[in-house]
Amino acid sequence: MDELRLKLAIQKSGRLTEPSLDLLVRCGLKISRGKDQLMAYGENMPLDVLFVRDDDIPDLVQEDVCDLGLVGLNVLEEKRLELASRGHAARFQQVRTLDFGRCRLALAVPDGASFEGPSSLRGKRIATTYPYLLEKYLRERDVCAEIVTLSGAVEIAPRLGRADLICDLVSTGSTLQANHLREVETVLESHAVLIRTPLDLPPLKDEWVQRLLMRIDGVQQVRESKYIMLHAPRSALGEIRKLLPGSESPTIIPLEGFPDRVAIHAVCRENVFWETLESLKKAGASALLVLPVEKMLA
Ligand code: PRT
Ligand code: ZN
């Protein structure tokens, strides 16, 4: 393996695969990947992508096989706690919060069952694939319960009589609903994160890590951002600036032949809704134009 090329681990096949690849492509990476190949070569950056099971991603960074990884916070925190339980320190750093893979690790009880806060968990059997996160949650609330660790299909454990309730990942809630379970408490809010090794990297590799981080920031900002252009009376400038969502200093341009009117151009870091445009129009704006932003570099 080329020691001067960065190695980034992503999920091979699952919920994080497509958004991870999409992020990398938006960061400008071109990769060639054969079907079922475990590694893809970055053609225009010294960066190769390893495709692995998501549970292995923290380990690969921990063991210096990879420099970077894209993984769910749920998997990362479970690993951190597991390492701590064996007296080991985590050797991965979370360097970016990403805008995909959002879900929560939550407790859910069978539909008819009562729940009056964490004390209701006392003496109960809780099925989960996240025993360390659940143990921490219970310990912090001073509750003694039995953790039933499963490797999957947690949602059917209560029906099979293996547990009284579950602790599992939820996004839309439809899996819980289909299994007659009711979400009662959040154990961890999760989303995908970028992790890196805490080791010092050779300058060339480190420079590419910094460039990648900057590009990721740009990509994430752009997803929500819009470029807005409008004409407005000079007298309405103050009100219009207040109405522009999440925009820093807008550019004000004089309009030839109209001393009382100006053109305003601004990057809005939040989505621009019809309601905003209507309010701007009411404040005196005209010729409103909203454009998507392609790339951004602060
Ligand atoms: O094979 P590999 O081990 O790589 O994949 P995996 O099966 O362990 O992971 P995968 O692809 O299911 O999830 C990867 C990551 O996506 C997770 O670690 C989370 O960080 C994130 N994520 C986001 C989710 C969900 N949303 C999610 N809804 N992971 C799992 N689920 C499951 C959940 O376990 C439950 O079975 O989806 C079901 C609930 O979904 P809703 O929409 O019905 O609530
Ligand atoms: Zn997994």
Side-chain angles (χ1 to χ4, degrees):
M1 278 208 271
D2 188 342
E3 288 307 310
L4 287 175
R5 294 183 67 82
L6 284 168
K7 273 155 216 81
L8 164 72
I10 71 168
Q11 192 183 24
K12 183 175 163 55
S13 148
R15 284 167 200 266
L16 300 181
T17 309
E18 203 249 6
S20 299
L21 284 170
D22 179 68
L23 176 66
L24 295 174
V25 167
R26 284 175 194 272
C27 286
L29 180 70
K30 288 199 173 71
I31 51 171
S32 48
R33 185 194 178 192
K35 220 173 162 245
D36 295 329
Q37 236 177 302
L38 285 183
M39 189 144 128
Y41 183 83
E43 291 169 5
N44 57 344
M45 290 188 203
L47 183 151
D48 299 328
V49 181
L50 265 78
F51 297 91
V52 296
R53 285 201 53 200
D54 67 342
D55 316 71
D56 296 334
I57 294 172
D59 289 323
L60 288 168
V61 176
Q62 178 83 11
E63 289 155 19
D64 302 330
V65 179
C66 290
D67 311 291
L68 302 165
L70 290 175
V71 67
L73 185 65
N74 49 306
V75 169
L76 192 72
E77 289 308 306
E78 180 74 3
K79 188 77 208 172
R80 201 190 294 279
L81 293 170
E82 187 204 320
L83 285 165
S85 78
R86 292 191 277 121
H88 295 304
R91 294 180 62 235
F92 38 75
Q93 288 172 349
Q94 190 183 319
V95 283
R96 281 299 180 277
T97 290
L98 303 171
D99 57 5
F100 58 87
R102 245 179 274 268
C103 58
R104 55 205 178 271
L105 184 64
L107 293 168
V109 299
D111 271 343
S114 71
F115 182 86
E116 277 116 36
S119 61
S120 303
L121 302 170
R122 208 151 274 143
K124 293 276 163 54
R125 291 168 306 154
I126 314 174
T128 190
T129 47
Y130 294 88
Y132 290 95
L133 281 165
L134 176 57
E135 193 273 331
K136 177 169 177 257
Y137 172 90
L138 294 170
R139 182 164 27 85
E140 285 172 354
R141 284 155 189 81
D142 219 5
V143 172
C144 215
E146 185 189 337
I147 299 174
V148 181
T149 306
L150 302 178
S151 56
V154 169
E155 64 277 7
I156 60 169
R159 256 185 300 154
L160 298 178
R162 296 187 73 184
D164 301 304
L165 69 151
I166 68 165
C167 173
D168 198 12
L169 295 177
V170 182
S171 52
T172 62
S174 58
T175 302
L176 291 184
Q177 212 182 0
N179 287 282
H180 307 290
L181 295 164
R182 176 167 61 94
E183 186 176 345
V184 289
E185 285 273 312
T186 300
V187 173
L188 178 82
E189 290 283 354
S190 188
H191 44 75
V193 294
L194 175 71
I195 55 170
R196 66 157 286 170
T197 169
L199 294 180
D200 281 339
L201 295 171
L204 197 65
K205 275 178 127 179
D206 195 59
E207 191 191 309
W208 271 101
V209 171
Q210 299 316 320
R211 284 176 83 168
L212 189 66
L213 289 178
M214 258 194 341
R215 291 184 187 187
I216 288 175
D217 293 343
V219 169
Q220 300 211 114
Q221 274 171 17
V222 155
R223 279 206 246 258
E224 285 273 282
S225 298
K226 293 281 177 283
Y227 193 77
I228 183 164
M229 302 194 277
L230 54 92
H231 290 178
R234 240 176 229 287
S235 56
L237 258 175
E239 194 182 344
I240 283 181
R241 285 177 73 151
K242 271 190 241 148
L243 288 169
L244 292 172
S247 77
E248 285 135 37
S249 44
T251 308
I252 320 272
I253 309 155
L255 283 174
E256 187 69 28
F258 298 93
D260 300 336
R261 290 183 77 78
V262 287
I264 304 175
H265 291 193
V267 173
C268 294
R269 291 178 193 266
E270 293 164 35
N271 220 335
V272 180
F273 297 103
W274 281 109
E275 288 75 7
T276 312
L277 295 185
E278 285 158 4
S279 309
L280 285 165
K281 200 166 161 57
K282 233 184 236 162
S286 61
L288 289 136
L289 205 57
V290 180
L291 305 170
V293 175
E294 170 79 19
K295 286 193 177 66
M296 199 187 277
L297 199 64

